[in-house]
Amino acid sequence: LLLVAGAVVYAPALLNEYLFADDYPQFCERQDWRTHMPYGRPLLGALFLLIPDAPRDLTSFLALRVLSSLLVVTFVWLLWQTVLRRFLFERAALPATLGCLALPTFHFCIGASTAYPIVLAACVSLSAGALAVFVLCYTVNSTTRATIAALVAAALLELACLATYQPAAMCYWLALTPVVMDARFLADAGFRKRAAVAFAVGAAAIAIYFGVFKLAAMLHWIESPVRAGLTTDIVGKSAWFVEKPLTRALSLWGLYEWRYVIACGAVGVLAAGALAARERSDKPADRGVVGRRLTLGSMLLLCYAPVLATSESWPSYRSLIALSVFVYALTLAAVHRVYLTLTAASRSVFAGGCCLTIVAALIAANRNVADNLVAVQRIELDYLLASLGSTRESSAPPRAVHIVTSPFDRGADFPCRSDEFGVRSASRPRWAIDMTRCAQRLLGMDETPVTTSAPGVPAPVDDDVLVVDRNRIRWAR
């Protein structure tokens, strides 16, 4: 069912040949582990070995997107096994799992051909968390030696994920969500201690990774970029977190206007109120309820910790995997509590409404992938191929190609969301150069020198220079 739903939702990315902005550098010249070492991601570059050397077509990149879709389905299946079915009814966990496919972070992970290492890191990180949780909290007869071996394995897997893509490695905390929601977390001190050990394993892996990375930078083994520095503006970063990443975690229809955000916030408050009311009816100890809420709040921050800790504030959707899924899980828990407070007659109507919401979200996800990701890149590439192809039969091929870059944002009709949806691949000089080199290779042309200019800069008037003005592209839905 997940495979079929994923194939339908992500069909635009799986049936069209195109490249995304981040794919072009890999097409022109594959980046190895040394390129990503300054960012602490050597395994990310190592995983790019799946990309063939000097490709001449887009077939291999289409195959990589198919691989990403299979990894996304695997991640969602792992989420169902380790998280959702542990605090939801079985009949509710199945549609809720399908709803995960609509999360916008997965749109990019499949829409970009070079995003497969991100999803792979998310799968491994979730598995590492599930391993630690299962051994500590749900295994009855396990020896001390086996438990220690499993925890060491979980820590090593988490370290590998951190060395691949740090935000995706935060999926470790998702496996702890049902543990915190377990009734024993409020009543059983031994259960809380074992859960704390599972937390400590993930925290130890992060501490070891961070220490090694900073030590390597201090010893000048690597040159850490400015964007990897630690932030000092705690208040500003917190406000940015609420305004941008937290708002975008579940946004499917383009929440650009604050009135929609406020409406969603109101629904969240009502759902949280229903959750709190249900907890009060169970009459747990007040200290336990406060501890659970503080733990969930800490996990919310941990799911986005690598981005929150750095000085750069750029809410890319690729970094939202752990945060989006965690917010989605909390929303499901709140909706589940609301369902339990309803009468038997009202539950069927409520459940039907939830299922229709999930179907609508999947349809919106399909349109977002088609309109704001695939169509944008396909139109740009077709325009460039047509411009370059017009010179193939010329007796005097151009001496150089001059690209007039297009603006990053296409305006009100197609607003740019972060650097994934609605963005022009030729909006930056480096992207424009790589894109032109790829187009020349696809056409079987010799790579001629490429220059770029910003919008509004006069283009050269030399007859032997081909001018490609990207601002003349006619956009249509």
Side-chain angles (χ1 to χ4, degrees), residues 141-201:
N141 298 319
S142 62
T143 62
T144 303
R145 181 177 297 179
T147 300
I148 294 175
L151 296 181
V152 171
L156 292 176
L157 289 174
E158 181 65 7
L159 281 171
C161 297
L162 288 165
T164 303
Y165 190 70
Q166 298 91 343
M170 298 301 102
C171 291
Y172 178 93
W173 310 113
L174 298 176
L176 289 156
T177 306
V179 174
V180 180
M181 294 181 179
D182 196 313
R184 287 174 289 179
F185 193 78
L186 294 175
D188 188 342
F191 187 83
R192 287 197 301 272
K193 290 180 181 178
R194 295 193 296 273
V197 175
F199 271 92
V201 170

Side-chain angles (χ1 to χ4, degrees), residues 5-43:
V8 172
V9 171
Y10 304 127
L14 304 179
L15 298 177
N16 289 278
E17 291 190 348
Y18 67 94
L19 291 177
F20 184 73
D22 292 342
D23 300 335
Y24 288 106
Q26 298 293 341
F27 189 98
C28 294
E29 183 177 358
R30 188 174 62 201
Q31 300 173 355
D32 57 16
W33 63 272
R34 289 180 293 268
T35 307
H36 300 275
M37 179 62 81
Y39 300 96
R41 303 168 183 172
L43 293 184

Side-chain angles (χ1 to χ4, degrees), residues 38 210-225 228:
F210 180 79
V212 171
F213 178 69
K214 286 301 179 182
L215 180 62
M218 290 175 57
L219 297 177
H220 303 290
W221 293 346
I222 60 173
E223 294 184 5
S224 180

Side-chain angles (χ1 to χ4, degrees), residues 59-72:
T59 304
S60 57
F61 286 83
L62 179 60
L64 291 176
R65 291 198 293 275
V66 174
L67 173 62
S68 295
S69 66
L70 294 176
L71 288 173
V72 167

